[in-house]
Amino acid sequence: MNYGPLPRKEDARLVRGKGTFVDDITLPGMLHGAVLRSPVAHARITSIDTAAALAHPQVEAVLTGRDLAGTLPGRDFSWMPTLSGDVQAVLATDKVRFQGQEIAFVIARDRYSARDALELIAVEYEPLPVLVDATRALDPGAPVVRDDLDGRTDNRIFHWSAGDKAATDAVFAAADVVVTQDMLYPRSHPSPLETCGIVADADPVSGRLTIWSTSQAPHAHRTVYALITGIPEHKIRVVSPDLGGGFGNKVPIYPGYLCAIAGSVRTGRPVKWTEDRSENLMAGSFARDYHMHGEIAASRDGRILGLRARVLADHGAFNGAAQPSKYPAGFFHIFTGSYDLRAAHCEVTGVYTNKAPGGVAYSCSFRVTEAVYLVERLVDLLARELGMDPAQLRMANLLQPDQFPYASPTGLVYDSGDYPQALRLAMDLAGYADLRAEQAARRERGQYMGIGVSFFTEGVGAGPREHMDILGLAMADAAELRVHPTGKAVLGVSCQTQGQGHETTFAQIVAEELGLDPDDVDVVHGDTDRTPFGLGTYGSRSTAVCGAAAAIAARRVRDRAKIVAAAMLEVAESDLEWADRAWRVRGDPEQARNIGEIAMAAHSGLRLPDGIEGQLDARAVYNPPNLTFPFGAYICVTDVDPVTGQVVVRRFIAVDDCGVRINPMIVEGQIHRGLADGVGIALMQAITFDHQGNCLAGSLMDYLLPTSAEVPSPELGTTVTPSPHHPIGAKGIGESATVGSPAAVVNSVLDALAPLGVRHADMPLTPAVVWRAVQGQPLRTDLAGG
Ligand code: CDP
């Protein structure tokens, strides 16, 4: 068996500092770019004067939006398409729409001169009223952010709904109990260790463009570059080398990338651009920013009957959200969670504001995180209203194993699950009854201890292709397996590791299917010249989609090998069976050939049946019939000091089910990371703005990342419910813990504060927010900016 805690193959280079990241790429004659960004959030540009910057002795070129219009014949890429089919200014020409927006690009012989020369560019602005508060975006008279769009008179981007409104209203009208709560899932940021960057090398002789960039989706990026620049796609190569994390931040194409390409075309020399931390936080892709109104209906004895949600989605100045075209609010309709209810209805309205664009799936399968947070907070509030224990209320309402496949009231079909088993295991690991007893004793002593529960279901692994695409590119992925004569194999995949260990787990998949050692399988990714086309890695798609393609390609190799083995053993194919890592003669298992032996024969002069070509290579494109649905039960124990507002996360118990685990050690690493994310989001971080649209979280001194000081060593449990449609029964895990954990932390803190009557506070529950919640003060003002 090749599934197991194999040490990560990629760590041999990564832990020795021998990885190659984009900023490590240095080419002869390479120039360096820097982006001039807007200091104001909303203003008309009346003039841009680049003369002084151009006169800087180290500067080779300065590009403004107008220059982009003439760089490549017949192309104006001062505007570019976003992943949601909107258009975004590459370099602003008419007005700036958020603080940090790109205005000009300086290309110099070294990075420092490029940055220095930014200060020599003079831009005149005519200030405009700023729209920061999304709840005001649809007010009559609100400043119109996107007056560049024909006929646009307001800030509405889309209105989308799912579920049966009439049926849901009827359930609510007849219910004994209805609990309602407004909540904000604040703007957060993936903030990977490595910021975004590119080296663009346009060769004026061959017409080839080679790009090294931080990309989670190199093939999709290549297609988009071809469409924008007009450079033929077969002349573009995108290489995404080692990535220092991505978490959704490296899915979009950023203006800096196109400026570097234009700069390389313009100068005939390679151009590197690497953003700094503040640029990454202020102008790169944000996540979440959902203003949610949720309602839950139940019977007095604790039966959950219905859910309703109304959401206002702040998408910033350009709709750059990364999600399938048909689903402008991603998979938010999974907000019915893990519960058996009669009806549900949700509606989401997207609006423009004067903030950075984004809406990326930050460790999340397209808005599932927001949905899980909403339902899990509502269930806790319901428990409080009914005077029930929140874990018991969940247990009484969870879907039962015999209900799968389960068609949710909003149109998703969950593939498999044993939810009660997972929650029971989490409660056992936590010692739930003892914890509640301890809590009661502490309350007697005036201490505030919280026990927060959350249960989540995710939908990961988008397509199928007929329902899911980005910019018309269907969400399917591919694998290409080459088997050399000596039985060593190379697997090319269209997904892209950012630190998740694909070079190990994908080798394990192939090794398992072919009876090889994982060390005999090399995995190639992140190079469009060496890998098959596919949509890349985000929304935990890799194992669910590309991992399936790898298993199918390996099975195709095995099928070809069977034909060769039959010829080698001079038996009929039907006499062979695959057992113990080889093709064996039925009833005479000693007569056998393994893949190494078969590969050599397949490349030899062995006579094969007519029409059989020899060699074993195979490829597969996997179009998933459905999402896979991992799930989990989390319990978080906190101690809260209501005087200082300090929250200490004492314990975190997480039971995850991602189907068959290829590498449990890597899976646990993913969960550790996601739980830390959850603590950060719940307690420490948000991208906030003042009333003028100044970003107040432009550094890691303001946008706090959790460390081992804030996050305890988690206690993990596992259940295994294979996905029935996935070739190896695997589901995703990459983002589960980020999806499930914020609700557990917030439920825990509010459980601790329940004796003080605190029923809700918006994340992040910083000491100041907790303290104000205890005082009964309103909390929204420092987040909404209005
Ligand atoms: O798309 P992404 O890689 O971010 O997420 P994923 O497919 O859920 O995988 C995260 C890591 O966990 C990869 O290295 C997977 O191969 C591994 N994994 C696993 O070993 N077993 C599973 N059932 C799911 C993921």
Side-chain angles (χ1 to χ4, degrees), residues 498 500-502 505-506 508-509 537-544 658-664 666-667 670 729-735:
Q498 308 136 44
Q500 304 92 315
H502 293 170
T505 50
F506 279 63
Q508 288 178 277
I509 293 174
T537 292
Y538 38 86
S540 284
R541 299 182 67 252
S542 305
T543 308
C658 58
V660 172
R661 294 178 171 217
I662 302 155
N663 188 320
I666 287 180
V667 166
Q670 298 286 302
K731 302 179 177 183
I733 191 66
E735 59 218 6

PDB file of all heavy atoms in Angstrom, residues 498 500-502 505-506 508-509 537-544 658-664 666-667 670 729-735, ligand 1:
ATOM      1  N   GLN A 498       1.376  24.727  -4.140  1.00  0.00           N
ATOM      2  CA  GLN A 498       1.849  25.979  -3.521  1.00  0.00           C
ATOM      3  C   GLN A 498       2.431  25.667  -2.167  1.00  0.00           C
ATOM      4  O   GLN A 498       2.519  26.520  -1.299  1.00  0.00           O
ATOM      5  CB  GLN A 498       0.667  26.936  -3.337  1.00  0.00           C
ATOM      6  CG  GLN A 498      -0.156  27.169  -4.563  1.00  0.00           C
ATOM      7  CD  GLN A 498      -1.646  27.130  -4.264  1.00  0.00           C
ATOM      8  OE1 GLN A 498      -2.107  27.700  -3.286  1.00  0.00           O
ATOM      9  NE2 GLN A 498      -2.417  26.470  -5.098  1.00  0.00           N
ATOM     10  N   GLN A 500       1.465  22.340  -0.868  1.00  0.00           N
ATOM     11  CA  GLN A 500       0.596  21.283  -0.333  1.00  0.00           C
ATOM     12  C   GLN A 500       1.173  19.883  -0.478  1.00  0.00           C
ATOM     13  O   GLN A 500       0.544  18.920  -0.063  1.00  0.00           O
ATOM     14  CB  GLN A 500      -0.757  21.246  -1.036  1.00  0.00           C
ATOM     15  CG  GLN A 500      -1.581  22.470  -1.056  1.00  0.00           C
ATOM     16  CD  GLN A 500      -1.304  23.298  -2.284  1.00  0.00           C
ATOM     17  OE1 GLN A 500      -0.160  23.499  -2.645  1.00  0.00           O
ATOM     18  NE2 GLN A 500      -2.328  23.789  -2.927  1.00  0.00           N
ATOM     19  N   GLY A 501       2.302  19.729  -1.181  1.00  0.00           N
ATOM     20  CA  GLY A 501       2.908  18.399  -1.257  1.00  0.00           C
ATOM     21  C   GLY A 501       2.450  17.539  -2.420  1.00  0.00           C
ATOM     22  O   GLY A 501       2.530  16.305  -2.357  1.00  0.00           O
ATOM     23  N   HIS A 502       2.004  18.155  -3.517  1.00  0.00           N
ATOM     24  CA  HIS A 502       1.529  17.357  -4.652  1.00  0.00           C
ATOM     25  C   HIS A 502       2.603  16.439  -5.216  1.00  0.00           C
ATOM     26  O   HIS A 502       2.289  15.372  -5.733  1.00  0.00           O
ATOM     27  CB  HIS A 502       1.058  18.264  -5.792  1.00  0.00           C
ATOM     28  CG  HIS A 502      -0.165  19.057  -5.457  1.00  0.00           C
ATOM     29  ND1 HIS A 502      -0.623  20.076  -6.257  1.00  0.00           N
ATOM     30  CD2 HIS A 502      -1.017  18.999  -4.421  1.00  0.00           C
ATOM     31  CE1 HIS A 502      -1.704  20.607  -5.723  1.00  0.00           C
ATOM     32  NE2 HIS A 502      -1.960  19.973  -4.610  1.00  0.00           N
ATOM     33  N   THR A 505       2.087  13.358  -2.990  1.00  0.00           N
ATOM     34  CA  THR A 505       0.809  12.627  -2.999  1.00  0.00           C
ATOM     35  C   THR A 505       0.447  12.144  -4.400  1.00  0.00           C
ATOM     36  O   THR A 505      -0.108  11.049  -4.549  1.00  0.00           O
ATOM     37  CB  THR A 505      -0.327  13.497  -2.433  1.00  0.00           C
ATOM     38  OG1 THR A 505      -0.316  14.769  -3.078  1.00  0.00           O
ATOM     39  CG2 THR A 505      -0.173  13.697  -0.946  1.00  0.00           C
ATOM     40  N   PHE A 506       0.762  12.926  -5.437  1.00  0.00           N
ATOM     41  CA  PHE A 506       0.433  12.470  -6.787  1.00  0.00           C
ATOM     42  C   PHE A 506       1.331  11.294  -7.185  1.00  0.00           C
ATOM     43  O   PHE A 506       0.888  10.382  -7.897  1.00  0.00           O
ATOM     44  CB  PHE A 506       0.515  13.629  -7.790  1.00  0.00           C
ATOM     45  CG  PHE A 506      -0.719  14.479  -7.775  1.00  0.00           C
ATOM     46  CD1 PHE A 506      -1.088  15.191  -6.648  1.00  0.00           C
ATOM     47  CD2 PHE A 506      -1.542  14.554  -8.892  1.00  0.00           C
ATOM     48  CE1 PHE A 506      -2.244  15.959  -6.630  1.00  0.00           C
ATOM     49  CE2 PHE A 506      -2.704  15.311  -8.877  1.00  0.00           C
ATOM     50  CZ  PHE A 506      -3.059  16.026  -7.742  1.00  0.00           C
ATOM     51  N   GLN A 508       2.299   9.135  -5.029  1.00  0.00           N
ATOM     52  CA  GLN A 508       1.704   8.017  -4.286  1.00  0.00           C
ATOM     53  C   GLN A 508       0.518   7.426  -5.042  1.00  0.00           C
ATOM     54  O   GLN A 508       0.318   6.207  -5.065  1.00  0.00           O
ATOM     55  CB  GLN A 508       1.274   8.473  -2.882  1.00  0.00           C
ATOM     56  CG  GLN A 508       2.454   8.733  -1.948  1.00  0.00           C
ATOM     57  CD  GLN A 508       1.999   9.222  -0.575  1.00  0.00           C
ATOM     58  OE1 GLN A 508       1.744  10.413  -0.388  1.00  0.00           O
ATOM     59  NE2 GLN A 508       1.897   8.316   0.390  1.00  0.00           N
ATOM     60  N   ILE A 509      -0.285   8.311  -5.656  1.00  0.00           N
ATOM     61  CA  ILE A 509      -1.458   7.819  -6.411  1.00  0.00           C
ATOM     62  C   ILE A 509      -0.988   6.916  -7.550  1.00  0.00           C
ATOM     63  O   ILE A 509      -1.479   5.789  -7.725  1.00  0.00           O
ATOM     64  CB  ILE A 509      -2.287   8.997  -6.972  1.00  0.00           C
ATOM     65  CG1 ILE A 509      -2.927   9.790  -5.839  1.00  0.00           C
ATOM     66  CG2 ILE A 509      -3.352   8.495  -7.948  1.00  0.00           C
ATOM     67  CD1 ILE A 509      -3.648  11.074  -6.286  1.00  0.00           C
ATOM     68  N   THR A 537      -5.038  25.026  -9.428  1.00  0.00           N
ATOM     69  CA  THR A 537      -5.295  24.676  -8.023  1.00  0.00           C
ATOM     70  C   THR A 537      -5.874  25.843  -7.240  1.00  0.00           C
ATOM     71  O   THR A 537      -5.217  26.871  -7.064  1.00  0.00           O
ATOM     72  CB  THR A 537      -3.984  24.210  -7.368  1.00  0.00           C
ATOM     73  OG1 THR A 537      -3.609  22.977  -7.959  1.00  0.00           O
ATOM     74  CG2 THR A 537      -4.141  24.012  -5.872  1.00  0.00           C
ATOM     75  N   TYR A 538      -7.085  25.688  -6.808  1.00  0.00           N
ATOM     76  CA  TYR A 538      -7.773  26.602  -5.884  1.00  0.00           C
ATOM     77  C   TYR A 538      -9.052  25.877  -5.527  1.00  0.00           C
ATOM     78  O   TYR A 538      -9.457  24.947  -6.237  1.00  0.00           O
ATOM     79  CB  TYR A 538      -8.087  27.967  -6.535  1.00  0.00           C
ATOM     80  CG  TYR A 538      -8.501  27.828  -7.975  1.00  0.00           C
ATOM     81  CD1 TYR A 538      -9.828  27.585  -8.310  1.00  0.00           C
ATOM     82  CD2 TYR A 538      -7.551  27.852  -8.987  1.00  0.00           C
ATOM     83  CE1 TYR A 538     -10.189  27.388  -9.616  1.00  0.00           C
ATOM     84  CE2 TYR A 538      -7.920  27.650 -10.304  1.00  0.00           C
ATOM     85  CZ  TYR A 538      -9.239  27.416 -10.613  1.00  0.00           C
ATOM     86  OH  TYR A 538      -9.598  27.186 -11.902  1.00  0.00           O
ATOM     87  N   GLY A 539      -9.684  26.279  -4.446  1.00  0.00           N
ATOM     88  CA  GLY A 539     -10.927  25.598  -4.061  1.00  0.00           C
ATOM     89  C   GLY A 539     -10.712  24.107  -3.843  1.00  0.00           C
ATOM     90  O   GLY A 539     -11.585  23.299  -4.164  1.00  0.00           O
ATOM     91  N   SER A 540      -9.544  23.730  -3.305  1.00  0.00           N
ATOM     92  CA  SER A 540      -9.243  22.304  -3.050  1.00  0.00           C
ATOM     93  C   SER A 540      -9.593  21.432  -4.243  1.00  0.00           C
ATOM     94  O   SER A 540     -10.189  20.365  -4.096  1.00  0.00           O
ATOM     95  CB  SER A 540      -9.996  21.791  -1.813  1.00  0.00           C
ATOM     96  OG  SER A 540      -9.396  22.245  -0.654  1.00  0.00           O
ATOM     97  N   ARG A 541      -9.200  21.859  -5.442  1.00  0.00           N
ATOM     98  CA  ARG A 541      -9.565  21.095  -6.630  1.00  0.00           C
ATOM     99  C   ARG A 541      -8.565  19.976  -6.935  1.00  0.00           C
ATOM    100  O   ARG A 541      -8.860  19.059  -7.695  1.00  0.00           O
ATOM    101  CB  ARG A 541      -9.623  22.020  -7.861  1.00  0.00           C
ATOM    102  CG  ARG A 541     -10.626  23.120  -7.784  1.00  0.00           C
ATOM    103  CD  ARG A 541     -10.645  23.939  -9.067  1.00  0.00           C
ATOM    104  NE  ARG A 541     -11.139  23.183 -10.196  1.00  0.00           N
ATOM    105  CZ  ARG A 541     -10.382  22.745 -11.209  1.00  0.00           C
ATOM    106  NH1 ARG A 541      -9.104  22.998 -11.236  1.00  0.00           N
ATOM    107  NH2 ARG A 541     -10.908  22.056 -12.189  1.00  0.00           N
ATOM    108  N   SER A 542      -7.362  20.091  -6.383  1.00  0.00           N
ATOM    109  CA  SER A 542      -6.279  19.263  -6.913  1.00  0.00           C
ATOM    110  C   SER A 542      -6.550  17.766  -6.800  1.00  0.00           C
ATOM    111  O   SER A 542      -6.501  17.048  -7.799  1.00  0.00           O
ATOM    112  CB  SER A 542      -4.975  19.607  -6.203  1.00  0.00           C
ATOM    113  OG  SER A 542      -4.730  20.974  -6.323  1.00  0.00           O
ATOM    114  N   THR A 543      -6.800  17.294  -5.603  1.00  0.00           N
ATOM    115  CA  THR A 543      -6.987  15.857  -5.423  1.00  0.00           C
ATOM    116  C   THR A 543      -8.306  15.418  -6.042  1.00  0.00           C
ATOM    117  O   THR A 543      -8.373  14.386  -6.721  1.00  0.00           O
ATOM    118  CB  THR A 543      -6.967  15.517  -3.921  1.00  0.00           C
ATOM    119  OG1 THR A 543      -5.779  16.078  -3.365  1.00  0.00           O
ATOM    120  CG2 THR A 543      -6.999  14.026  -3.697  1.00  0.00           C
ATOM    121  N   ALA A 544      -9.340  16.229  -5.831  1.00  0.00           N
ATOM    122  CA  ALA A 544     -10.664  15.840  -6.306  1.00  0.00           C
ATOM    123  C   ALA A 544     -10.723  15.783  -7.835  1.00  0.00           C
ATOM    124  O   ALA A 544     -11.439  14.958  -8.401  1.00  0.00           O
ATOM    125  CB  ALA A 544     -11.710  16.814  -5.771  1.00  0.00           C
ATOM    126  N   CYS A 658     -12.045  13.510   4.809  1.00  0.00           N
ATOM    127  CA  CYS A 658     -11.795  13.876   3.409  1.00  0.00           C
ATOM    128  C   CYS A 658     -11.741  12.615   2.560  1.00  0.00           C
ATOM    129  O   CYS A 658     -10.985  12.529   1.600  1.00  0.00           O
ATOM    130  CB  CYS A 658     -10.521  14.705   3.284  1.00  0.00           C
ATOM    131  SG  CYS A 658      -9.034  13.911   3.892  1.00  0.00           S
ATOM    132  N   GLY A 659     -12.554  11.625   2.953  1.00  0.00           N
ATOM    133  CA  GLY A 659     -12.570  10.372   2.207  1.00  0.00           C
ATOM    134  C   GLY A 659     -11.253   9.641   2.413  1.00  0.00           C
ATOM    135  O   GLY A 659     -10.606   9.774   3.460  1.00  0.00           O
ATOM    136  N   VAL A 660     -10.859   8.888   1.397  1.00  0.00           N
ATOM    137  CA  VAL A 660      -9.613   8.132   1.486  1.00  0.00           C
ATOM    138  C   VAL A 660      -8.453   9.115   1.566  1.00  0.00           C
ATOM    139  O   VAL A 660      -8.353  10.031   0.754  1.00  0.00           O
ATOM    140  CB  VAL A 660      -9.461   7.209   0.256  1.00  0.00           C
ATOM    141  CG1 VAL A 660      -8.082   6.562   0.225  1.00  0.00           C
ATOM    142  CG2 VAL A 660     -10.572   6.165   0.247  1.00  0.00           C
ATOM    143  N   ARG A 661      -7.573   8.938   2.547  1.00  0.00           N
ATOM    144  CA  ARG A 661      -6.415   9.832   2.709  1.00  0.00           C
ATOM    145  C   ARG A 661      -5.215   9.242   1.993  1.00  0.00           C
ATOM    146  O   ARG A 661      -4.828   8.104   2.283  1.00  0.00           O
ATOM    147  CB  ARG A 661      -6.069   9.997   4.192  1.00  0.00           C
ATOM    148  CG  ARG A 661      -7.138  10.713   4.934  1.00  0.00           C
ATOM    149  CD  ARG A 661      -6.844  10.836   6.418  1.00  0.00           C
ATOM    150  NE  ARG A 661      -7.866  11.735   6.961  1.00  0.00           N
ATOM    151  CZ  ARG A 661      -7.669  12.622   7.904  1.00  0.00           C
ATOM    152  NH1 ARG A 661      -6.499  12.744   8.468  1.00  0.00           N
ATOM    153  NH2 ARG A 661      -8.647  13.399   8.309  1.00  0.00           N
ATOM    154  N   ILE A 662      -4.644  10.026   1.112  1.00  0.00           N
ATOM    155  CA  ILE A 662      -3.462   9.541   0.390  1.00  0.00           C
ATOM    156  C   ILE A 662      -2.257   9.603   1.318  1.00  0.00           C
ATOM    157  O   ILE A 662      -1.519   8.649   1.474  1.00  0.00           O
ATOM    158  CB  ILE A 662      -3.211  10.407  -0.867  1.00  0.00           C
ATOM    159  CG1 ILE A 662      -4.441  10.364  -1.760  1.00  0.00           C
ATOM    160  CG2 ILE A 662      -1.977   9.921  -1.627  1.00  0.00           C
ATOM    161  CD1 ILE A 662      -4.567  11.583  -2.660  1.00  0.00           C
ATOM    162  N   ASN A 663      -2.096  10.748   1.960  1.00  0.00           N
ATOM    163  CA  ASN A 663      -0.956  10.941   2.855  1.00  0.00           C
ATOM    164  C   ASN A 663      -1.451  11.628   4.128  1.00  0.00           C
ATOM    165  O   ASN A 663      -1.574  12.857   4.184  1.00  0.00           O
ATOM    166  CB  ASN A 663       0.120  11.784   2.166  1.00  0.00           C
ATOM    167  CG  ASN A 663       1.389  11.834   2.985  1.00  0.00           C
ATOM    168  OD1 ASN A 663       1.366  11.935   4.201  1.00  0.00           O
ATOM    169  ND2 ASN A 663       2.523  11.749   2.302  1.00  0.00           N
ATOM    170  N   PRO A 664      -1.753  10.840   5.160  1.00  0.00           N
ATOM    171  CA  PRO A 664      -2.347  11.419   6.377  1.00  0.00           C
ATOM    172  C   PRO A 664      -1.483  12.500   7.013  1.00  0.00           C
ATOM    173  O   PRO A 664      -2.008  13.446   7.608  1.00  0.00           O
ATOM    174  CB  PRO A 664      -2.469  10.211   7.319  1.00  0.00           C
ATOM    175  CG  PRO A 664      -2.404   9.015   6.442  1.00  0.00           C
ATOM    176  CD  PRO A 664      -1.600   9.379   5.226  1.00  0.00           C
ATOM    177  N   ILE A 666       0.407  14.711   5.417  1.00  0.00           N
ATOM    178  CA  ILE A 666       0.176  15.958   4.671  1.00  0.00           C
ATOM    179  C   ILE A 666      -1.220  16.494   4.995  1.00  0.00           C
ATOM    180  O   ILE A 666      -1.408  17.703   5.174  1.00  0.00           O
ATOM    181  CB  ILE A 666       0.369  15.704   3.160  1.00  0.00           C
ATOM    182  CG1 ILE A 666       1.871  15.528   2.885  1.00  0.00           C
ATOM    183  CG2 ILE A 666      -0.234  16.831   2.325  1.00  0.00           C
ATOM    184  CD1 ILE A 666       2.232  15.276   1.439  1.00  0.00           C
ATOM    185  N   VAL A 667      -2.179  15.597   5.103  1.00  0.00           N
ATOM    186  CA  VAL A 667      -3.542  16.020   5.447  1.00  0.00           C
ATOM    187  C   VAL A 667      -3.529  16.753   6.795  1.00  0.00           C
ATOM    188  O   VAL A 667      -4.117  17.828   6.946  1.00  0.00           O
ATOM    189  CB  VAL A 667      -4.496  14.805   5.476  1.00  0.00           C
ATOM    190  CG1 VAL A 667      -5.805  15.160   6.147  1.00  0.00           C
ATOM    191  CG2 VAL A 667      -4.732  14.278   4.068  1.00  0.00           C
ATOM    192  N   GLN A 670      -2.231  20.182   6.484  1.00  0.00           N
ATOM    193  CA  GLN A 670      -3.232  21.098   5.927  1.00  0.00           C
ATOM    194  C   GLN A 670      -4.202  21.563   7.023  1.00  0.00           C
ATOM    195  O   GLN A 670      -4.603  22.727   7.067  1.00  0.00           O
ATOM    196  CB  GLN A 670      -4.035  20.402   4.816  1.00  0.00           C
ATOM    197  CG  GLN A 670      -3.207  19.971   3.621  1.00  0.00           C
ATOM    198  CD  GLN A 670      -2.795  21.147   2.750  1.00  0.00           C
ATOM    199  OE1 GLN A 670      -3.623  21.872   2.267  1.00  0.00           O
ATOM    200  NE2 GLN A 670      -1.509  21.342   2.591  1.00  0.00           N
ATOM    201  N   GLY A 729     -11.709   7.390  -4.226  1.00  0.00           N
ATOM    202  CA  GLY A 729     -12.537   7.669  -3.044  1.00  0.00           C
ATOM    203  C   GLY A 729     -12.079   8.852  -2.217  1.00  0.00           C
ATOM    204  O   GLY A 729     -12.489   9.027  -1.073  1.00  0.00           O
ATOM    205  N   ALA A 730     -11.209   9.704  -2.808  1.00  0.00           N
ATOM    206  CA  ALA A 730     -10.691  10.843  -2.038  1.00  0.00           C
ATOM    207  C   ALA A 730     -11.609  12.054  -2.183  1.00  0.00           C
ATOM    208  O   ALA A 730     -12.318  12.206  -3.179  1.00  0.00           O
ATOM    209  CB  ALA A 730      -9.291  11.198  -2.520  1.00  0.00           C
ATOM    210  N   LYS A 731     -11.616  12.913  -1.178  1.00  0.00           N
ATOM    211  CA  LYS A 731     -12.242  14.237  -1.254  1.00  0.00           C
ATOM    212  C   LYS A 731     -11.134  15.250  -0.962  1.00  0.00           C
ATOM    213  O   LYS A 731     -10.006  14.857  -0.689  1.00  0.00           O
ATOM    214  CB  LYS A 731     -13.348  14.370  -0.210  1.00  0.00           C
ATOM    215  CG  LYS A 731     -14.461  13.314  -0.330  1.00  0.00           C
ATOM    216  CD  LYS A 731     -15.499  13.494   0.757  1.00  0.00           C
ATOM    217  CE  LYS A 731     -16.639  12.492   0.583  1.00  0.00           C
ATOM    218  NZ  LYS A 731     -17.707  12.697   1.582  1.00  0.00           N
ATOM    219  N   GLY A 732     -11.419  16.517  -0.981  1.00  0.00           N
ATOM    220  CA  GLY A 732     -10.384  17.532  -0.725  1.00  0.00           C
ATOM    221  C   GLY A 732     -10.202  17.781   0.769  1.00  0.00           C
ATOM    222  O   GLY A 732     -11.069  17.450   1.579  1.00  0.00           O
ATOM    223  N   ILE A 733      -9.073  18.397   1.115  1.00  0.00           N
ATOM    224  CA  ILE A 733      -8.833  18.774   2.515  1.00  0.00           C
ATOM    225  C   ILE A 733      -8.151  20.127   2.609  1.00  0.00           C
ATOM    226  O   ILE A 733      -8.087  20.732   3.673  1.00  0.00           O
ATOM    227  CB  ILE A 733      -7.966  17.712   3.235  1.00  0.00           C
ATOM    228  CG1 ILE A 733      -7.914  17.939   4.748  1.00  0.00           C
ATOM    229  CG2 ILE A 733      -6.543  17.674   2.658  1.00  0.00           C
ATOM    230  CD1 ILE A 733      -9.206  17.758   5.446  1.00  0.00           C
ATOM    231  N   GLY A 734      -7.651  20.642   1.463  1.00  0.00           N
ATOM    232  CA  GLY A 734      -6.769  21.811   1.472  1.00  0.00           C
ATOM    233  C   GLY A 734      -7.290  22.976   2.283  1.00  0.00           C
ATOM    234  O   GLY A 734      -6.506  23.733   2.858  1.00  0.00           O
ATOM    235  N   GLU A 735      -8.586  23.167   2.321  1.00  0.00           N
ATOM    236  CA  GLU A 735      -9.085  24.376   2.969  1.00  0.00           C
ATOM    237  C   GLU A 735     -10.074  24.101   4.086  1.00  0.00           C
ATOM    238  O   GLU A 735     -10.553  25.023   4.735  1.00  0.00           O
ATOM    239  CB  GLU A 735      -9.776  25.237   1.918  1.00  0.00           C
ATOM    240  CG  GLU A 735     -10.902  24.528   1.250  1.00  0.00           C
ATOM    241  CD  GLU A 735     -10.990  24.845  -0.224  1.00  0.00           C
ATOM    242  OE1 GLU A 735     -10.100  25.525  -0.736  1.00  0.00           O
ATOM    243  OE2 GLU A 735     -11.943  24.411  -0.854  1.00  0.00           O
TER     244      GLU A 735
HETATM  245  O1  CDP B   1      -6.109  21.744  -4.174  1.00  0.00           O
HETATM  246  P1  CDP B   1      -5.281  21.613  -2.938  1.00  0.00           P
HETATM  247  O2  CDP B   1      -4.003  20.857  -3.147  1.00  0.00           O
HETATM  248  O3  CDP B   1      -5.082  22.904  -2.236  1.00  0.00           O
HETATM  249  O4  CDP B   1      -6.147  20.751  -1.907  1.00  0.00           O
HETATM  250  P2  CDP B   1      -6.356  19.176  -1.803  1.00  0.00           P
HETATM  251  O5  CDP B   1      -6.570  18.572  -3.120  1.00  0.00           O
HETATM  252  O6  CDP B   1      -7.404  18.958  -0.776  1.00  0.00           O
HETATM  253  O7  CDP B   1      -4.974  18.603  -1.267  1.00  0.00           O
HETATM  254  C1  CDP B   1      -4.165  19.141  -0.265  1.00  0.00           C
HETATM  255  C2  CDP B   1      -3.055  18.127  -0.004  1.00  0.00           C
HETATM  256  O8  CDP B   1      -3.583  17.022   0.770  1.00  0.00           O
HETATM  257  C3  CDP B   1      -2.494  17.488  -1.294  1.00  0.00           C
HETATM  258  O9  CDP B   1      -1.139  17.181  -1.181  1.00  0.00           O
HETATM  259  C4  CDP B   1      -3.343  16.250  -1.403  1.00  0.00           C
HETATM  260  O10 CDP B   1      -2.882  15.293  -2.267  1.00  0.00           O
HETATM  261  C5  CDP B   1      -3.462  15.806   0.063  1.00  0.00           C
HETATM  262  N1  CDP B   1      -4.681  14.993   0.265  1.00  0.00           N
HETATM  263  C6  CDP B   1      -4.574  13.676   0.688  1.00  0.00           C
HETATM  264  O11 CDP B   1      -3.464  13.193   0.952  1.00  0.00           O
HETATM  265  N2  CDP B   1      -5.720  12.926   0.826  1.00  0.00           N
HETATM  266  C7  CDP B   1      -6.952  13.445   0.583  1.00  0.00           C
HETATM  267  N3  CDP B   1      -8.043  12.719   0.722  1.00  0.00           N
HETATM  268  C8  CDP B   1      -7.065  14.790   0.182  1.00  0.00           C
HETATM  269  C9  CDP B   1      -5.901  15.545   0.015  1.00  0.00           C
END
